[in-house]
Amino acid sequence: MVRITLKDGTCKEFEAAPTAGEVAASIGAGLAKAALGAKVNGELVDLAHRIPTDSTLEIVTAKNRDGTVSAESLYLLRHSCAHVMAEAITRLFPGVQLVYGPPLETNFYYDMSFPPGSVMSTDDFARVEAEMGKIIEENRAFTRFNLPVEEGMEKLTREGSKYKLDNARRAVEAGSNELSWYATGTPGRDWEDLCRGPHVPSTGKIGAFKVLSLASSYWKGDEKSDRLTRVYGTAFATKEELAQFTKQSEEAKKRDHRVLGKQLKLFHIDEMVGQGLVLWTPNGGIVRSELQNFIGTELRRQGYFQVFTPHIGKLELYRTSGHFPYYRESQYPPIIEHDAMAKLADEGCTCGELSNRMAAGEVDGYMLKPMNCPHHIRIFASEPRSYRDLPVRLAEFGTVYRWEQSGEIGGMTRVRGFTQDDAHLFVREDQIAEEVLGCLSIVKLIFGTLGIEDYRVRVGLRDPDSQKYVGDSENWDKAEAACRNAVATLGVPFSEEPGEAAFYGPKIDFVVKDVIGRSWQLGTVQVDYNLPIRFDLSYVGADNKSHRPVMIHRAPFGSMERFVGVLIEHFAGAFPLWLSPEQVRVLPISEKSAEYANELLAALKARGIRASVDHANDRVQAKIKVAAEAKIPYMAVVGPRDAEQRAVSVRARGVEANLGEMSFDAFVDGIAAEFEQRLLSGAPGTVQATLGSASKA
RNA sequence: GCCGCUAUAGCUCAAUUGGCAGAGCACCUGAUUUGUAAUCUGGAGGUUACCGGUUCAAUUCCGGUUAGCGGCUCCA
């Protein structure tokens, strides 16, 4: 007797161990038909999975009870579709070896190795999709069969499948005592793949699919290993869901900061200047300086000192910090002095020798700074410090340069030159906790003001097996504890991730996703016991003895480039008033109202508001369209009627209607207040909300 | 750096098998004086990213360079 407890608490009894599918059938024919898989004791399995002992069971269908799309069903569909795609590709490209094909959050991929001379290109997608369509049409069952390890290995060896053999070996190492295959149809006759499953019952259950893109990958993620071709696709239960996905992808593309950056003239990257070097155009410059002013105010409040340091420093500085040898490959090459260069040329020094001699410290030069900390450290060290002076908090919008790999560069989120809203706090050990909290509070303030809610916090800890870290483990333990405690006090969920620490200390990172789902690190707070040692920093304690300070590195925005890039996507280019390059556009109905429009403009400008008048010889409808496309928060339409009453007709971005009239002064005051308070668009207190609620009343 | 794709007017995109490079928007003219998401007219705008090759002829085919896109790898 096997007792199966269902999700609603009811219990079903079976004489012999039933399959998950049989349980579904016992509940109802409709459910059995809709079933794609099952969760037995929380574990996702095939419908054909036999349940030998008392268990809880949940049938997985395309939709949950509440009508939402079930994540488990998508997992099953995509995993199964990966098999279908692999079968189609192996049919069309003989000799292709399969590697690994997992489902992901919004899609799936299959890594494969094409034989020499055989290449798949995007032009082949239609052929592949047609072949996949046939396989789905045939509605063949996914049939699992297991083989003992030895027999399975022998089979894979016979088939010459290098990658699958390796997958099997790892499965065995992980404790499997047998190997499983899935045949798409009948084992021995139809296409099959080594796979641990689970899958949907048959290919026909895949309602909609699409081959998305081609990419390359490395076997086991190791760049020294085999290069593989990765084919991405996606699958859904219905065509409607696929259409929805396609539509969402297109919408996301419109919010992409690279698209909006061009459209709204926020930044420009110029081939003649260099890859990954951002030029902030006037509009982007406004967004950036507003953000910098915002945080600048907070920094003064928290007792930071503003400092300024040059963009380069001697190699010796970075040898001392440890950056030069450690990150040599990802820095712009050093700058060598004229005399030194001439001397080396006379000696017939080769490039290789030069590189070695610079690393060894025999040749000096300068480097574009990859980090601001060494400069700030030298400021701290420039005068004797007493324990009473601490914490010393040095802040700078410091621009740094890193030689990122060419294939990794893109938009504003991954660049070669960027400005960190950097600060370094030199503190006593007993001050660490409070200061880290202070840093976190700035991040919280920024995210709160901008309405960024969708982020995660990562506490990066050292990987005990790695050699890349400097300093002793006792200090590491203390620093890690400080980070953990501070984040816990903050009251936000976080994850601890070993191996994610910087080489000099643990860190707290704030990570957000862009429109295409890629994660980016923004704000960061790092505790560092090591650089003070490397630079032999000290302060005089209350005991009149010399003590070592601890450093905290922090950058709440991270880099201005990346932050603004992410912010453009967050707001879809529709910045709140205080960040908008143009805050108000005055739209005279005709030339007859030009004078009144200019008067309004002057009043706005007198309050520091960024406004303009559209004097174009166009109808107001056209002016509205142009202003709407420029994503300007407010339009003030003025005609003879308004001039007579000293009023303005207000439109707010995103609202396709005239919000109503406001007096000239009330409008100017309202905009100024919304600006000053850095309100989010439509929030209580904004001109939009005031007019909106008035019109409702 | 690696794999695949892409590069045409300021922007978005066309251009049959290789045969005179085109549209919309933006820009400049002129008319219109307009009340809530595009009024009409005319004009200007190009070494088809760059370098080389094949050909009577190259935007189109081939090679290279540069840059962009999607991934991989990396990310102090």
Side-chain angles (χ1 to χ4, degrees), chain A residues 97-101 109-113 160-170 215-230:
Chain A
Q97 290 227 29
L98 299 176
V99 184
Y100 179 55
Y109 67 78
Y110 213 121
D111 276 347
M112 27 192 114
S113 171
S161 181
K162 166 181 171 186
Y163 305 102
K164 289 290 172 180
L165 199 54
D166 187 77
N167 289 352
R169 276 200 199 104
R170 277 186 294 166
S216 89
S217 62
Y218 300 106
W219 190 29
K220 297 180 190 173
D222 177 4
E223 63 179 320
K224 291 187 190 71
S225 186
D226 300 7
R227 215 165 31 235
L228 306 172
T229 300
R230 176 170 295 183

Side-chain angles (χ1 to χ4, degrees), chain A residues 508-567:
Chain A
I508 301 163
D509 291 332
F510 291 77
V511 179
V512 300
K513 279 188 181 171
D514 69 11
V515 289
I516 28 187
R518 292 180 293 204
S519 288
W520 297 103
Q521 177 198 312
L522 293 180
T524 181
V525 179
Q526 312 176 353
V527 179
D528 179 4
Y529 280 87
N530 290 303
L531 281 178
I533 298 170
R534 294 185 76 102
F535 280 91
D536 193 24
L537 298 181
S538 65
Y539 65 91
V540 177
D543 55 5
N544 199 30
K545 284 183 184 148
S546 179
H547 295 269
R548 185 82 73 197
V550 179
M551 273 176 78
I552 298 170
H553 309 239
R554 47 107 280 187
F557 289 128
S559 98
M560 298 313 295
E561 283 75 6
R562 180 175 289 180
F563 191 86
V564 170
V566 169
L567 207 57

Side-chain angles (χ1 to χ4, degrees), chain A residues 74-83 101-103 108 195-199:
Chain A
L74 289 177
Y75 181 96
L76 292 166
L77 284 166
R78 287 175 185 151
H79 193 184
S80 304
C81 195
H83 277 228
F108 66 83
C195 177
R196 64 160 192 247
H199 286 283

Side-chain angles (χ1 to χ4, degrees), chain A residues 140-155:
Chain A
R140 302 202 301 256
F142 282 96
T143 316
R144 182 186 176 113
F145 63 96
N146 295 342
L147 292 177
V149 170
E150 207 167 300
E151 198 180 323
M153 288 291 194
E154 202 176 288
K155 173 179 160 69

